[in-house]
Amino acid sequence: KTSAPQDHGQITLLQRCRCISQKRRLESVRNMTTEIPSKNWQELCRRVSELHRGTVNIRLLEPNGKSSAGAGNIHFRSMIFQKQTDCNDVLLIETGLPDQRPAQHQILEPIRLVLRKDGANGRFNLMEILAEDGTTEITFHPGLNLDSVDKLSA
């Protein structure tokens, strides 16, 4: 006579392994994502402007879900956070070759800024900026090597 295993509130070994695996995945994602508080945005922009000499792709995601390309594979020049008044902050991204007039990409009223790491090389390759008019995704090529980003996220 065979009987089916009964569940008496005990966690099986398989359930425990799944739980541990899920926790590790969440920790991995958490370690790959860093939110920068608004008080540190100006310093982050200064560091990115100093250190990044590559290209960027800029993609705009509207609140209704529509996506549009802001700029593709264009030379990065600078990033500036302009604290205006309590409700008119601007994050300005300048792109283009040094001998050309820069193209300016303005993000009005940024709310949240998140850096995402590439799992392969540990660099921050994506910056996600949530604003009142949607989300802007900036992909850096090569990714940002910001060793001291932990100080900015605190």
Side-chain angles (χ1 to χ4, degrees), residues 27-76:
E27 285 175 13
S28 174
V29 168
R30 207 175 295 127
N31 290 337
M32 294 178 68
T33 303
T34 303
E35 182 170 353
I36 307 298
S38 59
K39 66 181 182 179
N40 295 334
W41 289 354
Q42 206 158 20
E43 177 64 16
L44 175 71
C45 290
R46 185 187 67 75
R47 288 188 192 178
V48 171
S49 295
E50 278 180 12
L51 298 173
H52 190 66
R53 297 290 174 252
T55 61
V56 292
N57 290 331
I58 300 174
R59 188 171 79 137
L60 311 170
L61 304 167
E62 296 175 22
N64 64 7
K66 288 175 77 177
S67 172
S68 62
N73 203 29
I74 191 159
H75 290 275
F76 174 81

Side-chain angles (χ1 to χ4, degrees), residues 52-137:
H52 190 66
R53 297 290 174 252
T55 61
V56 292
N57 290 331
I58 300 174
R59 188 171 79 137
L60 311 170
L61 304 167
E62 296 175 22
N64 64 7
K66 288 175 77 177
S67 172
S68 62
N73 203 29
I74 191 159
H75 290 275
F76 174 81
R77 290 179 71 173
S78 68
M79 178 180 288
I80 303 161
F81 177 64
Q82 300 171 336
K83 182 92 172 138
Q84 305 290 329
T85 61
D86 286 341
C87 60
N88 288 326
D89 297 341
V90 176
L91 193 90
L92 182 66
I93 301 154
E94 291 188 335
T95 58
L97 294 171
D99 59 340
Q100 298 174 345
R101 182 174 175 197
Q104 294 185 337
H105 309 273
Q106 290 188 3
I107 302 167
L108 304 173
E109 282 305 306
I111 299 167
R112 184 173 185 234
L113 194 150
V114 176
L115 294 171
R116 297 192 190 281
K117 276 187 184 178
D118 177 0
N121 64 19
R123 291 175 175 253
F124 293 100
N125 64 333
L126 180 68
M127 181 182 289
E128 206 173 81
I129 305 161
L130 175 65
E132 283 191 5
D133 59 346
T135 300
T136 301
E137 291 181 343

